[in-house]
Structure formats: C-alpha cells, structure tokens
C-alpha cells in the first residue's frame, strides 16, 4: 500500500528528527522561523531583557525549548544588572556569561565584575551556567573553581585546559564543525561522550564557520553534519551520538535550582 509506506517513512523521519538537539542557539528573527519546523530540544540563549521576553513568548508556543539568560561579555557595559535580575531569577539556566579578549573590546575588568556577580548568583541558587570563554580560558577556569556549579562550556575552541575543565565535570558543546577547527576536534577527542553536547549557535554561526550562505532548511543538516563528524572521531554510530548528546542536554536541563529571592 503506497500511502501506508509513505506514512511509515514519515513516522520514521519524525522519530529520527526527535533525536536532534541544539544546546546553544540565539533566537533572532531567522531562527524564530526555523525552529518551529523541527521537534528539537534546544536552549535559547538570551543576553538582554528584550531577548528574554521574546524567548519566553516563543517557549509558550514551543515547550520543547528552554531559555538561558545572562549578561554576555559583549554587553557588559550596556546591559545593567538591575534590568537583567528579574530574568536571572526566572530562568533555570544562567548564560551565556564569561569573558572575551578576542572578539570584544570592552575593558576586561568590567567584564570580570559582571561575570563574577552572575557566577555568585548562579552558584548560590544552584542554577547551571553556560560559559563564553574566548581568549580567557585560564582566567575563567580559575574563577569557576571558586563557585562550584554545573557548567556547560559553549563551543570551546582552545587547545589548552580541556582536562582541567573536565575535572570540574563540565559539559562541552560542539559547534559547526569539528573537522574545520583542530582545537574543536581535540575537544571531541578528549571529552567523554557523556559530557558532549551539540550546538549551532544559530544558522548564521554555521555560515560564519563555513564561509558561505545557507538556506534556512539547512539547519537540520548542520546538526547532522556535526553529529557525523563527532561519530567519526569517536568511532561510534551517528545515531548513538545524536541519542547521547540529547540525553546529556536533557540531563543538564533537569538540574534543579533553589527557590529564588533577590540578592
């Protein structure tokens, strides 16, 4: 029966799509049109009150998504603690937060001040944290040792300190694509599968990594290519990579926070 065969193929496709996850994605206008197309578990990264509000409304329609909120180092001078605090109290995940000496010209002390304040808040309320570490990997490692917590290191691309972050039981999200960046490939090689996540950082980040424009319908293939490259490095079936990385993300999302009150 042709129609029945088509139905079985459609159901099998949905089951396979349900294995996909995106541990870190920014909800701009483009991603708002892409994400509803796929049954993907994702963390929507928000760095301003407006982004947090947009994500909250989006999640009400698509509850397979979760949001993280935090003052990004790039916004250390223009987003105030007081205006983000209500969102930090509401969210279950803090981030992405950190420091950046490569892609950011904001004074490092200003970045550090707001980073520490958010680390302290997250540690006190047992809220897991998504880290931005670009160029400041050693400094951030030293700081998070002072604030015990569950940490997700977003798109780590430094050849150093991987074992030290591993010793803190950090999760590492792998962005597009391990074979493009030897440092990211090294992360995949050294970090056990039960601590790996897959992320896109948004479709524009994949375009940046590939140096080419992509259609919106390429989103799922970005996740699949990343999973395939991890599978090759780990010598595992790609389905196992998809399953395990989604399981890891769900485990990260299940970490419970203490009841919030303003500091």
């Amino acid at each position: 029966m042709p129609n029945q065969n088509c139905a079985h193929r459609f159901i099998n496709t949905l089951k396979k799509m349900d294995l996909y996850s995106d541990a870190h994605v920014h909800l701009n206008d483009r991603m708002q049109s892409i994400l509803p197309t796929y049954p993907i578990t994702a963390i929507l990264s928000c760095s301003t009150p407006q982004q947090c509000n947009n994500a909250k409304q989006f999640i009400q329609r698509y509850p397979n998504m979760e949001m993280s909120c935090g003052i990004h180092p790039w916004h250390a001078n223009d987003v105030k603690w007081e205006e983000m605090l209500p969102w930090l109290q509401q969210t279950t995940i803090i981030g992405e937060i950190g420091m950046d000496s490569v892609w950011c010209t904001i004074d490092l002390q200003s970045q550090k001040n707001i980073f520490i304040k958010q680390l302290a808040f997250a540690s006190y309320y047992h809220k897991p944290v998504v880290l931005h570490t670009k160029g400041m990997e050693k400094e951030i490692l030293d700081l998070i040792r002072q604030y015990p917590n569950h940490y997700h290191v977003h798109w780590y691309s430094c050849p150093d300190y991987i074992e030290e972050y591993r010793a803190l039981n950090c999760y590492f999200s792998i962005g597009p694509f391990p074979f493009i960046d030897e440092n990211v490939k090294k992360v995949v090689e050294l970090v056990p599968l039960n601590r790996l996540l897959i992320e896109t950082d948004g479709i524009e980040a994949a375009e940046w990594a590939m140096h080419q424009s992509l259609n919106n319908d390429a989103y799922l293939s970005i996740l699949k290519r990343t999973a395939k490259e991890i599978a090759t490095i780990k010598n595992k079936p790609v389905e196992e990579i998809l399953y395990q990385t989604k399981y890891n993300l769900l485990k990260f999302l299940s970490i419970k926070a203490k009841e919030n009150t303003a500091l």
Side-chain angles (χ1 to χ4, degrees):
M1 299 276 298
N3 290 341
Q4 190 174 23
N5 289 336
C6 287
H8 284 314
R9 284 198 297 271
F10 179 70
I11 291 169
N12 288 335
T13 299
L14 283 179
K15 287 179 179 177
K16 289 179 181 178
M17 286 171 60
D18 196 41
L19 288 174
Y20 289 85
S21 59
D22 193 338
H24 186 84
V25 56
H26 295 274
L27 189 68
N28 56 20
D29 291 342
R30 194 172 172 191
M31 290 308 303
Q32 286 194 55
S33 67
I34 293 172
L35 287 171
T37 310
Y38 307 105
I40 286 176
T41 301
I43 297 179
L44 310 178
S45 182
C46 308
S47 302
T48 68
Q50 183 60 56
Q51 290 177 10
C52 295
N53 188 56
N54 291 344
K56 182 178 181 179
Q57 294 180 41
F58 188 82
I59 290 167
Q60 288 173 351
R61 296 184 312 235
Y62 306 103
N64 52 316
M65 311 285 173
E66 185 58 79
M67 72 175 178
S68 64
C69 301
I71 301 176
H72 193 289
W74 298 357
H75 295 294
N77 281 348
D78 55 73
V79 176
K80 304 303 180 188
W81 169 259
E82 293 75 17
E83 60 181 330
M84 277 298 282
L85 181 58
W87 292 105
L88 299 178
Q89 292 170 330
Q90 289 181 50
T91 190
T92 58
I93 305 166
I94 305 299
E96 70 189 274
I97 63 173
M99 299 174 68
D100 188 330
S101 64
V102 177
W103 296 322
C104 184
T105 59
I106 293 174
D107 175 69
L108 286 173
Q109 189 59 51
S110 297
Q111 294 184 45
K112 184 176 181 179
N113 291 343
I114 195 62
F115 179 45
I116 290 175
K117 198 165 188 177
Q118 292 177 100
L119 282 179
F121 179 92
S123 180
Y124 182 83
Y125 290 113
H126 301 169
K127 296 191 176 196
V129 171
V130 181
L131 293 172
H132 178 108
T133 62
K134 194 64 177 177
M136 300 298 291
E137 292 82 7
K138 177 62 166 62
E139 292 80 0
I140 288 174
L141 177 64
D142 291 340
L143 286 170
I144 66 175
R145 283 172 170 154
Q146 302 173 42
Y147 298 94
N149 206 338
H150 298 273
Y151 290 101
H152 158 197
V153 189
H154 144 62
W155 204 341
Y156 195 78
S157 58
C158 174
D160 303 316
Y161 315 114
I162 298 171
E163 295 292 350
E164 288 85 347
Y165 277 97
R166 273 190 59 192
L168 298 177
N169 290 320
C170 295
Y171 289 92
F172 292 77
S173 57
I174 306 302
F177 297 97
F179 286 169
I180 288 178
D181 189 329
E182 284 296 320
N183 292 333
V184 177
K185 184 181 178 183
K186 184 177 180 180
V187 173
V188 177
E189 291 170 345
L190 294 179
V191 175
L193 185 53
N194 68 352
R195 286 288 153 177
L196 289 181
L197 306 167
I198 292 176
E199 67 158 283
T200 64
D201 205 16
I203 196 166
E204 290 89 351
E207 291 178 325
W208 170 80
M210 297 175 70
H211 305 288
Q212 67 180 74
S213 297
L214 298 169
N215 295 326
N216 286 359
D217 58 9
Y219 173 69
L220 199 68
S221 67
I222 296 166
L223 293 168
K224 187 173 184 178
R225 174 177 165 182
T226 302
K228 282 184 173 180
E229 294 186 8
I230 294 172
T232 299
I233 296 166
K234 291 291 193 186
N235 194 26
K236 300 281 188 181
V238 66
E239 291 78 10
E240 181 178 345
I241 302 301
L242 289 169
Y243 173 85
Q244 185 67 54
T245 52
K246 181 167 184 177
Y247 176 83
N248 296 343
L249 181 59
L250 292 172
K251 190 174 179 181
F252 182 75
L253 290 171
S254 71
I255 297 166
K256 301 300 182 184
K258 286 166 55 175
E259 182 179 356
N260 295 322
T261 55
L263 287 180

